[in-house]
Amino acid sequence: MTTIALYRDDFYLSTAEAVVISVHDDGAVELDQTCFYAASGGQPGDTGFFEREDGSHIQLGETRHGATKDVILHRPVDGEPLPLVGEKLVLHVDWPRRYKLMRMHTACHLLSVVCSYPITGAAVGEEESRVDFDMGETIDKDQVTADLMKLVGENHPVYLQWITDEELAANPGIVKSKNVRPPVGLGRVSLVCIGENSAVDSQPCGGTHVSETQEVGAIHIAKIEKKGKENRRFRIRFGAPET
């Protein structure tokens, strides 16, 4: 059964009510709807807890997709009790962790603006993220940091627009990533737009993001690594550059 992914329309939704529709043999729980982000596109899935009607908690260890993108599986931490099919729960996302991931994911988008090369890989983390680019030339990490912080300080709006799967297929050039494809198969694809009328950027992405670039806060390029003749790995960290 399809789970309604509430986070697709509201990145700031940290709590919601849901009903258990299935409990798998391996302990994975399916709900009728969820605010827990399912791991995808380099962004980890949400953690947090289920609150039962008696007030007790079930700690959640991971959220991921099942065989298809419309199946979202919530796996409790080992040793936690499992809810019952039909049980009503209140979902609580680990918000400090999610918000860090939202800020980091937005920072990765800004980096793809500053470095306009095809993306060959990415991983979003709570303290450090990486983005790999198909590029061979040398680039100054301090200048990249300055360009990133300029975009952060200009406080551009970040928002979603929706296109159909067919519109994406007809316009493959809007996808910056060479290896990670946007989530399709649900009928519509979200475009993450930065700046008024997408003046800064627009690219398909199913992750979660902040609503304005200023929320990203201080970030810097900690390291640029050579990962092959035509591949460079940029490591983004929070805070000012180390001196």
Side-chain angles (χ1 to χ4, degrees):
M1 184 180 294
T2 299
T3 299
I4 299 172
L6 300 172
Y7 57 81
R8 297 190 81 197
D9 294 295
D10 186 355
F11 299 149
Y12 290 82
L13 184 66
S14 63
T15 185
E17 296 182 349
V19 176
V20 178
I21 57 176
S22 178
V23 179
H24 294 223
D25 291 341
D26 64 358
V29 177
E30 288 188 62
L31 306 170
D32 64 337
Q33 61 179 15
T34 186
C35 55
F36 288 98
Y37 176 79
S40 183
Q43 180 175 332
D46 281 331
T47 58
F49 65 89
F50 298 151
E51 181 183 354
R52 311 181 86 169
E53 289 188 332
D54 63 3
S56 63
H57 294 176
I58 300 173
Q59 296 296 323
L60 186 65
E62 67 169 351
T63 310
R64 59 180 175 83
H65 288 288
T68 58
K69 287 290 185 180
D70 59 352
V71 176
I72 298 176
L73 302 176
H74 309 75
R75 185 183 296 278
V77 172
D78 289 344
E80 287 288 278
L82 296 177
L84 305 175
V85 173
E87 184 174 351
K88 295 180 180 179
L89 303 170
V90 179
L91 317 180
H92 297 268
V93 172
D94 180 342
W95 178 249
R97 177 178 180 273
R98 157 76 86 79
Y99 191 56
K100 278 188 175 182
L101 293 171
M102 288 167 59
R103 292 166 58 206
M104 268 294 194
H105 203 148
T106 306
C108 291
H109 281 251
L110 295 179
L111 179 58
S112 75
V113 173
V114 173
C115 298
S116 56
Y117 300 89
I119 298 171
T120 57
V124 181
E126 296 173 56
E127 302 298 336
E128 178 183 283
S129 296
R130 66 167 177 83
V131 182
D132 297 348
F133 292 98
D134 184 359
M135 58 183 289
E137 57 264 44
T138 301
I139 191 168
D140 181 65
K141 67 182 179 68
D142 293 333
Q143 184 59 54
V144 175
T145 293
D147 292 342
L148 283 171
M149 287 309 302
K150 182 176 184 293
L151 290 172
V152 170
E154 288 170 348
N155 202 23
H156 297 284
V158 183
Y159 57 96
L160 291 186
Q161 290 183 342
W162 294 93
I163 61 173
T164 64
D165 288 355
E166 291 74 22
E167 288 172 320
L168 176 62
N171 296 278
I174 64 176
V175 181
K176 293 186 178 183
S177 175
K178 293 180 67 175
N179 299 331
V180 179
R181 308 306 297 172
V184 296
L186 299 176
R188 62 175 186 163
V189 177
S190 57
L191 296 180
V192 176
C193 304
I194 303 176
E196 297 291 345
N197 299 314
S198 306
V200 176
D201 192 36
S202 175
Q203 59 180 294
C205 181
T208 62
H209 307 83
V210 294
S211 63
E212 52 189 16
T213 59
Q214 187 171 276
E215 289 184 65
V216 170
I219 51 173
H220 67 280
I221 301 301
K223 185 183 297 185
I224 301 176
E225 301 168 329
K226 186 176 182 179
K227 294 293 182 178
K229 185 177 179 181
E230 299 293 332
N231 197 63
R232 297 294 182 272
R233 174 167 294 174
F234 289 64
R235 295 193 178 276
I236 313 173
R237 293 177 185 166
F238 284 128
E242 297 178 1
T243 57

